[in-house]
Amino acid sequence: MSVWSIAAAQSGSRPGDLAWNISRHLDFIRQAAVHHVDLLIFPELSLTGYELDRVTELAMPMDDPRLEGFAVAATEHKMSIIVGLPLLTADGILLSAIAFLPDGTRMAYGKRNLFGDEKKLFSVGESVPLFGYDQHHVAMAICADISVEEYARDAARRGANLYATGVLVSENGYHQDCEYLARWSRDYKMAVLMANHALPTGGYQSAGKSVLWDESGRQVVTGGEGEQLVIARRTGKDWQGEVHSLRYPPVI
């Protein structure tokens, strides 16, 4: 019976420090590979931190050479890797999640439900096709997107088995956002994975506690505080979870 292993990288970001943040992402990816993770998602704007006042400076195109390490890692580890960044496009900047797939494909999703000052800085994103394969289809969402039922419903109707969300959620908003995601998983019969920041960013104190709900709305695994790898494994129809602290450096 096949096993599908998915994980939230509950990572911390240094403000605007792309080199350090990329290195930390690769640490998480290597540790995820040790645990045979098939899909790894990072929080909202994980590569830059939630630094809205530096968006223009930090935005990068899809083919930026600094992203090549993620493409290489996805192929090497046969892992789909989703990272958060401001994406420079011909039509403006998207608050984006980019999926690097094992076959070399790159797919960008732009946040659709922009929040507060994001509306002044980013173009509104559009829905994208699913990626994955039989019983492993994935749709993406970013932070405030998770409050919009239409997006979750659309993902389920298109065949998503997993709604993968990268967020920045504080303690104040954590309970409400978890209620949304648990309801989408229960109502639309798809697993939901939420990757939250580990450290303060952009003036917000993140709650951490990344989490996976199964197709019935049951909370399978929840992280705690600090940098952690929150893993959920599906064997047949059964889910199990585990949480690992990030090792320095990861053992490979």
Side-chain angles (χ1 to χ4, degrees):
M1 189 175 294
S2 66
V3 178
W4 191 29
S5 297
I6 62 177
Q10 188 168 291
S11 60
S13 303
R14 289 185 178 176
D17 191 340
L18 285 168
W20 190 93
N21 293 336
I22 288 170
S23 176
R24 175 60 88 241
H25 279 56
L26 294 174
D27 287 343
F28 269 95
I29 291 165
R30 285 189 286 268
Q31 184 157 332
V34 171
H35 294 285
H36 307 290
V37 167
D38 300 304
L39 178 140
L40 180 65
I41 181 170
F42 287 85
E44 179 180 31
L45 293 178
S46 58
L47 280 189
T48 61
Y50 191 78
E51 304 302 320
L52 298 188
D53 59 343
R54 300 179 65 183
V55 163
T56 303
E57 166 196 347
L58 296 172
M60 63 185 79
M62 179 89 84
D63 60 354
D64 191 290
R66 291 169 292 184
L67 299 176
E68 185 62 25
F70 299 119
V72 171
T75 299
E76 178 182 350
H77 300 303
K78 297 181 174 58
M79 183 190 306
S80 297
I81 300 165
I82 303 173
V83 305
L85 73 161
L87 179 66
L88 187 61
T89 75
D91 298 318
I93 300 173
L94 294 175
L95 200 168
S96 180
I98 296 182
F100 297 85
L101 308 186
D103 66 359
T105 301
R106 302 183 189 188
M107 295 180 62
Y109 170 80
K111 187 174 183 178
R112 289 177 277 176
N113 187 30
L114 296 172
F115 172 78
D117 287 343
E118 295 170 0
K119 297 175 183 178
K120 305 173 185 177
L121 300 166
F122 296 102
S123 302
V124 176
E126 298 178 354
S127 181
V128 296
L130 303 180
F131 67 87
Y133 52 98
D134 187 38
Q135 299 302 311
H136 301 77
H137 290 110
V138 181
M140 294 183 281
I142 301 173
C143 208
D145 287 339
I146 66 182
S147 67
V148 182
E149 183 170 8
E150 177 188 348
Y151 300 167
R153 183 191 304 119
D154 177 63
R157 285 178 175 172
R158 289 187 292 126
N161 306 111
L162 176 69
Y163 201 38
T165 67
V167 305
L168 168 57
V169 176
S170 67
E171 284 288 354
N172 287 340
Y174 185 83
H175 178 72
Q176 179 64 70
D177 286 343
C178 285
E179 283 193 341
Y180 286 130
L181 293 175
R183 180 149 60 98
W184 306 154
S185 65
R186 182 176 62 251
D187 290 356
Y188 298 112
K189 311 302 180 190
M190 60 182 175
V192 176
L193 179 63
M194 181 182 82
N196 200 8
H197 279 266
L199 303 174
T201 183
Y204 292 91
Q205 175 65 56
S206 177
K209 296 184 287 189
S210 300
V211 59
L212 181 282
W213 293 266
D214 70 10
E215 297 86 349
S216 69
R218 178 178 69 95
Q219 201 168 102
V220 174
V221 60
T222 306
E225 297 180 352
E227 291 189 307
Q228 295 182 326
L229 188 65
V230 180
I231 302 175
R233 303 186 194 280
R234 187 186 70 191
T235 305
K237 295 183 178 180
D238 297 323
W239 286 96
Q240 293 183 325
E242 58 198 64
V243 179
H244 301 271
S245 295
L246 184 65
R247 303 182 68 169
Y248 301 94
V251 176
I252 59 174

